[in-house]
Amino acid sequence: MRVITFGTFDVFHVGHVNILERAKLQGVHLIVGVSSDNLNLEKKTRYPIYSEDDRQHIISSLRCVDEVFLEQSLELKAEYIKKYNADILVMGDDWQGKFDHLKDLCKVIYLPRTPSVSTTEIIEVVKTK
Ligand code: C2G
């Protein structure tokens, strides 16, 4: 089974490792769409701290990850699922229900987020030190 997941993975932290390792366990091949810098500007109205090249580099170095590509638009999930032949889409449960319309293309699974860790909080803590 081929698993696909998406995310920015900025200021990489343990919550990111946890979701990627658990995504991999759903199948045998894990494909990760790393959100582009421009997509983040649209979504979070700021550029990520780490560039899209560095974020892709970090994700592709992980043992649980088999393939990485740049996610250029949130609207292209169906195209990416088809292009990469994914059987399962995994997302964190902050996206619960948001991708149910893709269920006729592949299985959609939402996994619980790791509590008490987020990039936004890390940035805030570092700012005040
Ligand atoms: N995550 C997690 N636990 C945390 C923080 C993040 O499980 N404490 C998960 C999120 O649920 C997501 C993945 O890690 O599945 C990446 O998180 P983000 O980098 O915040 O990505 P996001 O903004 O959710 O982007 O096309 C979809 C979007 O690009 C997803």
Side-chain angles (χ1 to χ4, degrees), residues 58-106:
I58 291 168
I59 300 301
S60 61
S61 74
L62 297 170
R63 201 159 43 202
C64 60
V65 173
D66 299 288
E67 231 177 305
V68 170
F69 68 94
L70 201 59
E71 180 194 28
Q72 303 278 10
S73 161
L74 290 178
E75 318 306 324
L76 290 175
K77 292 232 164 32
E79 278 68 25
Y80 293 133
I81 289 167
K82 284 184 247 173
K83 178 174 179 193
Y84 290 94
N85 249 315
D87 305 292
I88 306 170
L89 168 65
V90 168
M91 295 297 293
D93 64 1
D94 42 329
W95 294 93
Q96 188 70 46
K98 297 265 164 51
F99 299 108
D100 286 358
H101 58 282
L102 298 167
K103 279 185 177 163
D104 44 356
L105 278 181
C106 68

Side-chain angles (χ1 to χ4, degrees), residues 7-9 35 43-44 71 74 77 92 94-95 113-114 117:
T8 305
F9 304 104
S35 305
K43 203 172 61 173
K44 295 185 179 165
E71 180 194 28
L74 290 178
K77 292 232 164 32
D94 42 329
W95 294 93
R113 277 169 69 92
T114 302
V117 55

